[in-house]
Amino acid sequence: MKVLILNGSPRKNGNISKLLAHEKEKIKAKNPDCQFFIENVSDLKFNFCSGCMSCRSKGKCIYPYDDAHRVAEEINDCQLIIVGTPVYWGNMNGKLKCLFDRMVGVLMKESKFGIPLPMHKGKKAIIVTSCTTPFPFNYLCGQTSGAIRSLKEILKSSGFRVIKTINRSNTKKQNKIIFNIRKVS
């Protein structure tokens, strides 16, 4: 099984990186033959989406080849994607959002009526977030819940089935990782 890990955090040794490493080890223990591909989104070089919508008909972005194209190829090849992001203003990291904007053409296509059609049915996804807001206010005030909602929208619209969400809240006060894990049915 091929697993793509998208680390949306600019901090290479931050909470998201630790949570992603922990999840990777859990998967590796159950499936030792897994191949892992890790992308640190903050290191990627790509242009912002211009909203031309050509990708919907062509199946890929029309910009010259860059890291967004390469990550799109990895998404096509993976069976599981793990997306990690710190929560910024109730949403995912901006560069991660820009990356997803660039990959619309490989995530979904359109019917002749303009209805989005998912291209990754049967694949699974895990969402990992962290934020400074303490539990349960991270959910009640829309911080963690906003980031998870945004990522679920992208992943589910692309055909991925979100099987788990993991969150670490109250990162300002806590030095140890505390997991709020929600299995999704």
Side-chain angles (χ1 to χ4, degrees):
M1 176 169 74
K2 292 183 180 179
V3 179
L4 173 60
I5 299 174
L6 286 179
N7 181 357
S9 176
R11 297 181 185 173
K12 297 248 170 66
N13 296 310
N15 294 317
I16 289 297
S17 298
K18 291 174 187 171
L19 290 165
L20 290 171
H22 179 76
E23 193 62 22
K24 177 186 173 193
E25 291 308 313
K26 283 174 53 178
I27 292 168
K28 200 177 191 179
K30 290 180 182 176
N31 307 293
D33 294 333
C34 278
Q35 290 180 289
F36 291 91
F37 300 89
I38 301 170
E39 294 291 349
N40 290 302
V41 176
S42 63
D43 294 339
L44 301 178
K45 306 275 189 268
F46 59 90
N47 291 315
F48 294 103
C49 177
S50 66
C52 71
M53 304 304 281
S54 294
C55 62
R56 295 266 178 121
S57 60
K58 299 192 183 311
K60 67 177 186 173
C61 181
I62 62 168
Y63 282 162
Y65 190 88
D66 61 14
D67 285 341
H69 290 92
R70 186 177 52 74
V71 173
E73 291 166 2
E74 292 173 353
I75 287 175
N76 282 334
D77 291 341
C78 77
Q79 286 79 44
L80 171 66
I81 186 170
I82 305 172
V83 182
T85 184
V87 176
Y88 291 0
W89 288 100
N91 212 323
M92 70 185 90
N93 170 287
K95 192 160 183 183
L96 179 63
K97 170 68 168 74
C98 291
L99 178 64
F100 280 123
D101 288 346
R102 272 289 305 281
M103 296 190 297
V104 168
V106 298
L107 296 173
M108 65 178 71
K109 56 186 175 182
E110 280 185 358
S111 73
K112 63 181 179 179
F113 304 109
I115 310 269
L117 302 170
M119 295 177 64
H120 296 278
K121 285 186 175 178
K123 295 183 178 184
K124 296 176 183 173
I126 296 172
I127 298 172
V128 179
T129 63
S130 74
C131 69
T132 58
T133 308
F135 180 82
F137 301 104
N138 61 316
Y139 285 99
L140 297 174
C141 297
Q143 294 302 303
T144 300
S145 53
I148 290 171
R149 185 191 77 256
S150 296
L151 285 167
K152 278 185 176 178
E153 173 68 24
I154 292 166
L155 294 167
K156 286 183 173 185
S157 295
S158 304
F160 287 93
R161 184 170 60 92
V162 178
I163 58 170
K164 182 171 30 171
T165 62
I166 301 169
N167 176 62
R168 178 176 180 217
S169 59
N170 202 18
T171 58
K172 220 182 215 181
K173 300 277 184 188
Q174 298 174 353
N175 291 326
K176 61 182 179 178
I177 293 178
I178 295 177
F179 298 97
N180 295 322
I181 299 174
R182 293 180 180 209
K183 295 252 183 190
V184 180
S185 55

